[in-house]
Amino acid sequence: MGWGSGKKVVEAARRNGVRTRVVAEGDVIATGRGIRLEVLAPGPDPPRFEDRSLIDRNNLVVKARVAGVDVLVPGDVDLESQEALSSLPVAAPVLVAVHHGSANLDPEFVRAVSPKVTLVTVGADNSYGHPTAKAMELYRREGMVLRNDTQGTLSLCIDDGEVEVRTAR
């Protein structure tokens, strides 16, 4: 799919009458239903779609607040960006693992998030070797780690500030 796949999704959405919006660091989207999304990265000047060398550096990083619980979704953010994010208020009890558990993981970033649970999403066709032992060890130092490839569908049930994680095959 590559870097241009996001552009294709936006174009398809617009063709089908779906409103789109460019977001950048500092933007907040609130649904009024107890869901608040805060964009932590990228900055306001994302690269052109053709610049493949900046894909991970300009990855969308979102801190979601759902029913009083923070969930950090860093996507495939690179090491340099993880380092920069570590100085922001990224602490969250739930973390979606960076880049499916890639070894490109900054221990300081994981400590700054301090997750009680890390959710690792791994595709069925996993030729990259994710998640790596290094990433799993770092996440386990902070709390529980759940993987969809070994435990099935991972669901978060959040109610009044309490989190329950369910798995299903």
Side-chain angles (χ1 to χ4, degrees):
M1 293 197 8
W3 184 245
S5 61
K7 184 176 182 179
K8 292 174 186 171
V9 169
V10 170
E11 289 169 350
R14 289 180 178 158
R15 277 193 310 274
N16 289 288
V18 176
R19 291 183 326 161
T20 62
R21 170 180 160 187
V22 175
V23 295
E25 179 183 336
D27 287 347
V28 175
I29 301 164
T31 67
R33 295 187 176 132
I35 299 174
R36 177 183 187 272
L37 305 175
E38 179 183 358
V39 178
L40 302 179
D45 297 315
R48 296 179 12 203
F49 283 108
E50 295 80 20
D51 191 350
R52 294 186 58 80
S53 68
L54 297 175
I55 293 172
D56 293 347
R57 176 149 318 136
N58 288 281
N59 192 88
L60 181 64
V61 178
V62 175
K63 187 173 187 181
R65 187 163 196 66
V66 180
V69 175
D70 289 332
V71 179
L72 188 67
V73 185
D76 292 353
V77 71
D78 69 356
L79 284 169
E80 185 177 317
S81 299
Q82 290 173 50
E83 184 178 313
L85 287 164
S86 295
S87 65
L88 298 176
V90 291
V94 180
L95 171 65
V96 176
V98 175
H99 205 138
H100 314 286
S102 164
N104 293 326
L105 184 61
D106 180 7
E108 292 302 318
F109 174 74
V110 178
R111 278 192 281 281
V113 177
S114 188
K116 292 180 182 165
V117 62
T118 298
L119 307 176
V120 183
T121 59
V122 183
D125 181 18
N126 181 11
S127 60
Y128 295 102
H130 296 153
T132 63
K134 173 189 172 186
M136 294 301 287
E137 179 183 329
L138 286 171
Y139 292 132
R140 283 190 185 111
R141 285 183 197 160
E142 296 298 323
M144 180 188 321
V145 178
L146 298 170
R147 299 170 47 161
N148 71 316
D149 63 329
T150 58
Q151 292 162 300
T153 301
L154 307 175
S155 302
L156 290 178
C157 300
I158 302 174
D159 185 28
D160 198 26
E162 296 294 320
V163 179
E164 180 181 330
V165 182
R166 295 182 184 168
T167 61
R169 284 223 167 257

